[in-house]
Amino acid sequence: DAMVIQNPRYQVTQFGKPVTLSCSQTLNHNVMYWYQQKSSQAPKLLFHYYDKDFNNEADTPDNFQSRRPNTSFCFLDIRSPGLGDAAMYLCATSRVTGNNSPLHFGNGTRLTVT
Amino acid sequence: GQQLNQSPQSMFIQEGEDVSMNCTSSSIFNTWLWYKQDPGEGPVLLIALYKAGELTSNGRLTAQFGITRKDSFLNISASIPSDVGIYFCAGDLLNFGNEKLTFGTGTRLTIIP
């Protein structure tokens, strides 16, 4: 039973054409994260929401935005995708941000930019 | 940012062999987590470690949180074909939570038929 669900699994977009990736969770976790993972690399945190509080990583480009309309859903918006934005995008959740609350990942959305 | 040195980068083993991989850091970590990622899938949590010296098993997997809080190892006994994948260690620094989770560079495990 999938608990962190990402749609779509594969997304193709054109250079410069806005794209939105979605994530939903059935865990009722407070925190939702978006990671970018390029081939053969470790996941890189883009930002996270603790409830409605948005926390951006310092090196996340402005091209990346996020929305969390409610506890269950979180969206990643890429305003003007470039070829370098092609990657696997992973959503994750955790109950809280502290100890004893490991991340649970979705299966990711693989983004291709043509 | 903080670095987690994970080794080896890749392993080629035969089915039935035992596997050992580790992560080290120059910084002290609160938590060590081990994830496995299959191709085209998200990472799946294998073992979570919360106390220095803690040794935890999950089936054929065993992981330990180093006494110095700067390292962790993962062992897999009697490997089987479904163990193939990339294994990531991850940790959060002392006094920070998951928002500062640092990932290792991964160990790619391949089983030779």
Side-chain angles (χ1 to χ4, degrees):
Chain A
D1 294 335
M3 294 177 288
V4 182
I5 303 156
Q6 290 188 245
N7 284 305
R9 291 294 307 275
Y10 301 93
Q11 176 74 57
V12 180
T13 190
Q14 292 178 330
F15 183 95
K17 185 175 180 182
V19 66
T20 294
L21 310 182
S22 75
C23 177
S24 64
Q25 56 136 337
T26 59
L27 296 164
N28 205 34
H29 280 173
N30 293 313
V31 194
M32 296 186 78
Y33 309 79
W34 279 104
Y35 283 83
Q36 180 193 64
Q37 186 179 28
K38 296 196 174 179
S39 182
S40 300
Q41 295 183 20
K44 177 182 181 299
L45 182 63
L46 296 173
F47 27 58
H48 76 278
Y49 273 94
Y50 195 126
D51 293 330
K52 289 188 178 296
D53 292 333
F54 177 71
N55 298 272
N56 201 31
E57 290 301 294
D59 57 354
T60 298
D62 291 341
N63 198 25
F64 291 88
Q65 304 285 317
S66 186
R67 296 171 283 136
R68 189 179 185 187
N70 54 52
T71 300
S72 301
F73 286 87
C74 195
F75 299 99
L76 171 63
D77 300 310
I78 309 177
R79 294 194 296 192
S80 182
L83 297 178
D85 296 328
M88 173 79 93
Y89 289 89
L90 295 164
C91 174
T93 72
S94 66
R95 188 174 53 82
V96 292
T97 54
N99 277 352
N100 300 319
S101 186
L103 268 62
H104 297 265
F105 285 89
N107 275 332
T109 294
R110 181 166 295 283
L111 179 68
T112 300
V113 182
T114 61
Chain B
Q2 295 298 326
Q3 294 284 336
L4 273 184
N5 301 308
Q6 185 169 351
S7 66
Q9 281 192 333
S10 58
M11 302 184 74
F12 295 85
I13 62 166
Q14 291 189 320
E15 183 177 349
E17 287 187 38
D18 296 341
V19 171
S20 184
M21 60 190 80
N22 68 82
C23 276
T24 60
S25 174
S26 57
S27 300
I28 293 173
F29 282 84
N30 247 353
T31 302
W32 284 97
L33 307 170
W34 284 94
Y35 287 89
K36 176 176 183 273
Q37 187 172 25
D38 291 331
E41 307 285 332
V44 174
L45 181 67
L46 298 174
I47 292 179
L49 302 160
Y50 299 110
K51 295 194 307 186
E54 181 180 356
L55 181 72
T56 296
S57 292
N58 178 8
R60 293 177 296 105
L61 278 60
T62 302
Q64 184 159 30
F65 192 147
I67 291 288
T68 64
R69 308 182 77 98
K70 294 182 180 180
D71 64 332
S72 177
F73 72 74
L74 174 71
N75 289 340
I76 306 172
S77 63
S79 58
I80 60 177
S82 62
D83 291 334
V84 166
I86 301 178
Y87 292 79
F88 288 101
C89 63
D92 65 296
L93 290 165
L94 196 64
N95 298 324
F96 290 94
N98 287 329
E99 68 270 25
K100 296 298 181 186
L101 202 64
T102 302
F103 281 85
T105 48
T107 295
R108 182 181 294 274
L109 180 64
T110 302
I111 294 184
I112 306 166

